[in-house]
Amino acid sequence: MSSKRNLISLSILSAVCIALVLTPAARADGAKDILKLVPADAWGFGVIRSLNTIDERATLLRDAVSPMIPAPITPMILMPLNLGDTLDMTRPLGFVMLDFEKFGGGDNSTVVLVPAKDAKALMTKLSQEEAVDGIFNCMLMGNPAFAAIKGNIVVLGSSKEGVTKVANAEETLAKGFDKGRVAAMEKSDLFFTIAESGIGAINDMVMPPLQMVMAAVDPEGKQVEILTKMLKEAAAVDLATTFDKQGLSLAILFSAKKGTDLEKLLGETKNAEDSLLKCLPMEKYLFAMGSTSPYSETAEKFGGGDVTAMFKQLGMEGMNDEAIKVINEETKKLTKNLTAWAMSLSAVSGTDGMIAFTAVAKTKDAKEYVAGSREIFQKLLEVSDDEDLETIKDSVVITPEAETIAGIKVDTIIVKIETLADMLELSEEDLDGIKKVLGKEIAMRFGPVDGRQVLFTFGGGKQQFEKSLEAVKSDGKGLSADSGIAKMSKRLPSPRASEVYIAVDNIGQLIKNIAKALGEEDEIPFDVPTIDAPLAISSARVGSFQQIDILVPMKLITAVKDVIDQMMTVEMDDFDEDEDDEDEMDDEDDEDDEEEDDEDDEDDEDDDDDDI
């Protein structure tokens, strides 16, 4: 892209990029007016809620992340435009992406919708000429541009055809735009959409080379076929983001074309009535997740429940097609049997090892689910006659109903890690370290809690299974009552189909504790504070679309920044110590050189005496 064609990317669109994280929660009056200027066949569009308080958010980001972030920032962005006070900084600013092929791509395919206090006054800053067919010839930052006035909005772009297309559009995206998506747009600092035409263009551009890349692992092209089907049936993908004192939030909205399998699949998503984490034990979790899982025949059209392709992609020698067939059939049965599930990975103490995994399957028939799971685990060891798999098979002992815990028959899968030592090239020290982290007994346990629930645990020994069993049977809130999860849960959409929480502070503390247990504490020269503010993710069926939300709390952002600062300080101290050591070595070398010179002088004097 030449310097003469940088009109948009170097001026107003620079504000778009910065506002992605900086734009505040101001009033969104006029955001819907932007839709009335977006042609129905546009590839996409974006709406920034307002530019007036970018400086305030720049200050917030600077205080939270780095003093190197400039604030105020709008004068630096707007000064080259020389538009004075004609811009309306309180109303939304929009941009439209047109067909790259028809309009030449780059700046030619991008049109900016600029809010003005007085559109005519703004236009006099851009052009001294009269409009021809409603289009003004302009100069902006020394580059030619084109503009049109639409009410209190100036349509601005580097392509006359693009500006004309937007200014004169008769059919726009405003017609039939989902009310839920409008609500999301009005709540967001920045709302960006890839429309149906844009998704189609992506499909045409990406699929052919992707098919070539995946040919080795997907020779039949099934995965590409499924992805192509999804893209062809998608109507829009929206990205909505805000940044405020609570932190950063991101929402992704998926909409499908009417009457398609994708629309049916999204419609079959079932939101949970209550938190699915209630059945998990209250522990110092690292990762926790729960999701509904209603069976859907439509999902099979998108590859759901079929694991055959996964095994083929492994490329293992001597594949056992019969074993893979059984695994595939049993997996489909489990999928039909499952209604919801929850799982957590936790840092534990007072049990065998330092990490424990717990999962609870909500089923239609718990005994059938256990039998199917048992069959899958057994057949996984028979999928190939590969030498490494044979070694793994010798190290794994699967025993149905091996134990009785609190009256429940429990299957065990025990891994004899010593048998894998040679294959994994593990030393005695490595084996001791693994046992300290995973436990002396590396085992999975699973069994039916009642007629509808199945409990799985890995790590923590029998104690972990007993503790988890109590949580499943109780009527309490379990892990959902964790203070950090409870706080973040209130900020997620409700009801929802799934929820995920990642405790970054607990993860950091576990890493430090593991390093200490292995005698490598010096390798983690920083402290991780407890912030009780997890990263939160959810998915939900909202109106006619599927929505994924990602929340990054401000406490997490600042805590990560503090840890990075600690690491950089340690690195700088180490660097200074290295420099001091080098200086000392240089001084010692200089002293050695001086001593050698003195010795040479003495030798020369002795030689002179001998000569005399």
Side-chain angles (χ1 to χ4, degrees):
M1 187 185 301
S2 69
S3 59
K4 293 294 183 181
R5 308 301 292 172
N6 280 338
L7 170 64
I8 304 303
S9 59
L10 292 180
S11 54
I12 296 178
L13 280 188
S14 63
V16 173
C17 299
I18 295 172
L20 177 62
V21 294
L22 298 182
T23 310
R27 287 179 57 82
D29 295 341
K32 287 184 287 187
D33 293 336
I34 298 292
L35 288 173
K36 299 175 183 178
L37 293 173
V38 182
D41 59 352
W43 280 16
F45 73 95
V47 179
I48 297 173
R49 182 176 290 198
S50 109
L51 297 175
N52 193 40
T53 50
I54 285 183
D55 292 333
E56 179 184 342
R57 290 320 189 207
T59 302
L60 178 62
L61 191 63
R62 181 192 63 192
D63 294 342
V65 178
S66 171
M68 300 300 292
I69 295 175
I73 197 169
T74 51
M76 180 177 64
I77 298 172
L78 300 176
M79 186 182 299
L81 303 180
N82 193 30
L83 299 178
D85 62 351
T86 59
L87 285 174
D88 189 336
M89 305 294 287
T90 65
R91 290 180 24 245
L93 178 146
F95 55 98
V96 181
M97 295 185 301
L98 300 173
D99 190 317
F100 276 34
E101 295 179 356
K102 292 182 179 179
F103 293 89
D107 289 345
N108 289 331
S109 299
T110 306
V111 176
V112 182
L113 308 176
V114 184
K117 294 179 181 178
D118 184 331
K120 292 183 178 179
L122 174 57
M123 189 58 66
T124 60
K125 294 280 187 179
L126 299 173
S127 176
Q128 302 299 320
E129 302 179 13
E130 293 293 328
V132 178
D133 296 328
I135 305 298
F136 293 86
N137 290 323
C138 307
M139 291 297 294
L140 190 63
M141 295 174 61
N143 294 313
F146 301 90
I149 296 176
K150 298 293 289 185
N152 56 4
I153 293 177
V154 172
V155 181
L156 182 64
S158 60
S159 165
K160 183 178 180 180
E161 292 76 13
V163 171
T164 302
K165 170 76 173 178
V166 172
N168 297 332
E170 295 182 1
E171 294 186 14
T172 68
L173 291 181
K175 182 180 180 180
F177 203 82
D178 187 275
K179 292 181 179 179
R181 294 172 66 198
V182 172
M185 179 173 64
E186 293 181 339
K187 292 177 183 178
S188 306
D189 294 339
L190 181 137
F191 187 87
F192 178 76
T193 291
I194 302 176
E196 183 177 325
S197 298
I199 295 174
I202 291 173
N203 180 52
D204 294 340
M205 289 188 292
V206 173
M207 284 301 107
L210 182 61
Q211 191 167 14
M212 294 177 62
V213 171
M214 295 185 64
V217 294
D218 183 25
E220 297 179 5
K222 288 187 177 181
Q223 298 301 316
V224 174
E225 183 180 335
I226 291 171
L227 183 56
T228 300
K229 177 178 176 63
M230 293 182 68
L231 290 174
K232 286 184 176 180
E233 297 184 3
V237 178
D238 306 316
L239 175 68
T241 182
T242 60
F243 180 73
D244 54 28
K245 292 182 179 180
Q246 288 187 303
L248 177 66
S249 63
L250 178 69
I252 305 171
L253 286 59
F254 297 94
S255 303
K257 295 177 182 176
K258 300 292 184 183
T260 62
D261 289 330
L262 184 59
E263 182 192 35
K264 187 176 180 181
L265 179 65
L266 297 182
E268 290 171 351
T269 299
K270 184 178 179 181
N271 291 333
E273 297 179 358
D274 201 353
S275 174
L276 295 166
L277 306 186
K278 292 173 62 175
C279 59
L280 296 174
M282 175 67 81
E283 295 176 321
K284 190 174 182 179
Y285 72 98
L286 312 173
F287 171 90
M289 180 177 184
S291 177
T292 61
S293 184
Y295 171 68
S296 167
E297 291 184 358
T298 310
E300 294 189 8
K301 297 181 181 180
F302 294 93
D306 193 332
V307 298
T308 305
M310 180 186 70
F311 286 104
K312 289 184 177 180
Q313 290 174 10
L314 294 176
M316 299 175 69
E317 295 181 359
M319 298 296 288
N320 184 341
D321 292 336
E322 184 60 31
I324 294 174
K325 180 180 178 181
V326 172
I327 293 172
N328 199 48
E329 290 174 350
E330 291 299 328
T331 300
K332 289 182 178 180
K333 290 179 183 178
L334 292 188
T335 302
K336 293 180 180 180
N337 195 353
L338 189 66
T339 59
W341 54 269
M343 66 179 185
S344 64
L345 181 66
S346 303
V348 295
S349 59
T351 60
D352 189 19
M354 303 175 70
I355 299 176
F357 171 81
T358 302
V360 179
K362 307 281 187 178
T363 70
K364 298 173 184 176
D365 189 314
K367 289 185 177 180
E368 285 188 8
Y369 199 88
V370 169
S373 299
R374 183 187 299 147
E375 183 74 7
I376 289 173
F377 289 135
Q378 290 172 338
K379 290 300 179 182
L380 280 172
L381 299 175
E382 303 175 14
V383 296
S384 168
D385 57 11
D386 182 85
E387 183 179 348
D388 288 341
L389 185 60
E390 288 297 321
T391 303
I392 294 173
K393 185 176 181 180
D394 292 338
S395 70
V396 177
V397 179
I398 301 176
T399 308
E401 299 185 346
E403 301 171 341
T404 300
I405 301 176
I408 294 175
K409 296 293 185 180
V410 179
D411 287 29
T412 62
I413 302 176
I414 297 175
V415 179
K416 296 180 290 184
I417 190 65
E418 292 83 1
T419 308
L420 299 173
D422 290 339
M423 185 184 80
L424 300 177
E425 299 181 354
L426 299 174
S427 65
E428 287 296 327
E429 185 179 356
D430 294 332
L431 290 173
D432 289 341
I434 291 173
K435 290 178 181 179
K436 286 179 180 178
V437 176
L438 299 181
K440 295 177 181 178
E441 178 196 59
I442 302 176
M444 173 184 281
R445 290 176 167 82
F446 64 97
V449 177
D450 49 36
R452 295 295 180 90
Q453 299 182 101
V454 179
L455 173 63
F456 296 79
T457 65
F458 178 82
K462 285 186 178 181
Q463 287 177 292
Q464 184 65 27
F465 193 91
E466 292 169 350
K467 181 170 60 174
S468 301
L469 186 59
E470 290 179 7
V472 177
K473 288 183 174 181
S474 73
D475 293 327
K477 294 185 177 181
L479 190 56
S480 68
D482 175 87
S483 59
I485 289 177
K487 284 185 290 188
M488 296 304 294
S489 175
K490 293 177 181 179
R491 295 178 54 192
L492 293 171
S494 183
R496 48 187 174 267
S498 66
E499 54 188 328
V500 181
Y501 303 93
I502 303 172
V504 179
D505 53 347
N506 292 345
I507 293 173
Q509 290 168 8
L510 175 64
I511 292 173
K512 194 170 180 69
N513 290 337
I514 290 175
K516 184 178 181 180
L518 300 180
E520 299 177 0
E521 188 174 9
D522 292 341
E523 299 297 323
I524 314 291
F526 56 84
D527 296 320
V528 181
T530 298
I531 58 173
D532 207 20
L535 173 70
I537 305 171
S538 72
S539 68
R541 176 68 175 172
V542 181
S544 63
F545 54 87
Q546 187 88 3
Q547 179 171 322
I548 296 174
D549 285 86
I550 303 172
L551 303 179
V552 186
M554 184 62 78
K555 288 179 67 176
L556 176 57
I557 294 173
T558 55
V560 170
K561 184 267 276 188
D562 291 342
V563 169
I564 293 174
D565 288 345
Q566 289 183 51
M567 294 174 64
M568 292 180 66
T569 300
V570 171
E571 289 180 1
M572 289 298 295
D573 290 343
D574 290 342
F575 179 76
D576 291 339
E577 288 179 6
D578 291 340
E579 281 195 332
D580 291 341
D581 291 341
E582 290 179 3
D583 291 340
E584 290 178 5
M585 292 177 63
D586 289 341
D587 292 340
E588 291 176 0
D589 290 340
D590 290 340
E591 291 177 2
D592 291 340
D593 290 341
E594 290 178 2
E595 291 177 0
E596 289 180 0
D597 291 340
D598 291 340
E599 291 176 359
D600 289 341
D601 291 341
E602 291 177 1
D603 291 340
D604 290 341
E605 290 177 1
D606 291 340
D607 290 341
D608 291 341
D609 291 341
D610 290 340
D611 290 341
I612 294 172

